[in-house]
Amino acid sequence: MEFSSKLLENAVYEVSQLPGIGKRTALRLVLHLLRQPEAQTKNLALALQNLRSEIKFCKKCHNISDTELCEICANPKRDTSLVCVVEDIRDVMAIESTGQYRGVYHVLGGKISPMDGVGPSDLNIATLIEKAKTGEIKEIIFALSSTMEGDTTNFYIFKQLEPYAVITSTIARGIAVGDELEYADEVTLGRSILNRIPFENSLKSEQ
Ligand SMILES: [Zn+2]
């Protein structure tokens, strides 16, 4: 792509670094911004800048939060002995929208994926095991998407939890294998949390 302006080229390059955005789409978006009032671009830049400089991760569950403790962990009505393990904030949002879950979460920040160079130490797993050690957790519900990486991650955590008196369960597979949680409809997802099954049973059914 030949650019008549270095400024334009730089902006297109940065936008094209976003997932799913090719050079052509990036150019379209940048030209769109140029046609809009200048304030709009400034607001966009400021929102992104503030996001990076001010965002916090809840010190208890690692969910994205504006405060030290996220709204869910800070809510005294939530059952802190019930912990749902999810990949990221999108899963928290999906499960929260079902209105069926009264426990808290533990956000891993990804899944174990040797292909992408993501190992257990790259994820928030150690803090979950620490929580289990203290005895404050009665049950851990695995709610990762049922992909190979999701299953590997569940199994790794399950093994780490073995020495501790924690019940492990997994959300019922109303959700098709390979589906991402965030795409499941609220009714199905809500039901699969209520009808969760012991984690060991999910291992047997797959063999
Ligand atoms: Zn939290």
Side-chain angles (χ1 to χ4, degrees), residues 58-63 69-73:
C58 171
K59 62 178 180 187
K60 247 189 133 175
C61 74
H62 307 287
N63 195 16
L69 213 55
C70 76
E71 275 180 23
I72 297 168
C73 289

Side-chain angles (χ1 to χ4, degrees), residues 4 12 36 46 51 55 57 61 72 77 79 81 90 104-108 113 118 141-142 156 161 169 179 190 195 201:
S4 56
V12 169
Q36 299 302 304
L46 194 65
L51 176 76
I55 203 88
F57 292 90
C61 74
I72 297 168
K77 288 187 186 139
D79 179 0
S81 72
R90 290 172 300 173
V104 293
Y105 297 90
H106 188 90
V107 181
L108 294 178
S113 175
V118 182
I141 307 167
F142 294 115
Y156 177 85
L161 288 170
S169 58
D179 274 6
N195 300 335
N201 292 12

Side-chain angles (χ1 to χ4, degrees), residues 33-65:
L33 284 173
L34 274 182
R35 281 193 297 270
Q36 299 302 304
E38 194 176 340
Q40 197 169 328
T41 314
K42 279 194 173 149
N43 290 343
L44 172 65
L46 194 65
L48 293 175
Q49 217 166 42
N50 288 344
L51 176 76
R52 281 322 292 249
S53 60
E54 286 169 37
I55 203 88
K56 291 183 183 69
F57 292 90
C58 171
K59 62 178 180 187
K60 247 189 133 175
C61 74
H62 307 287
N63 195 16
I64 293 174
S65 168

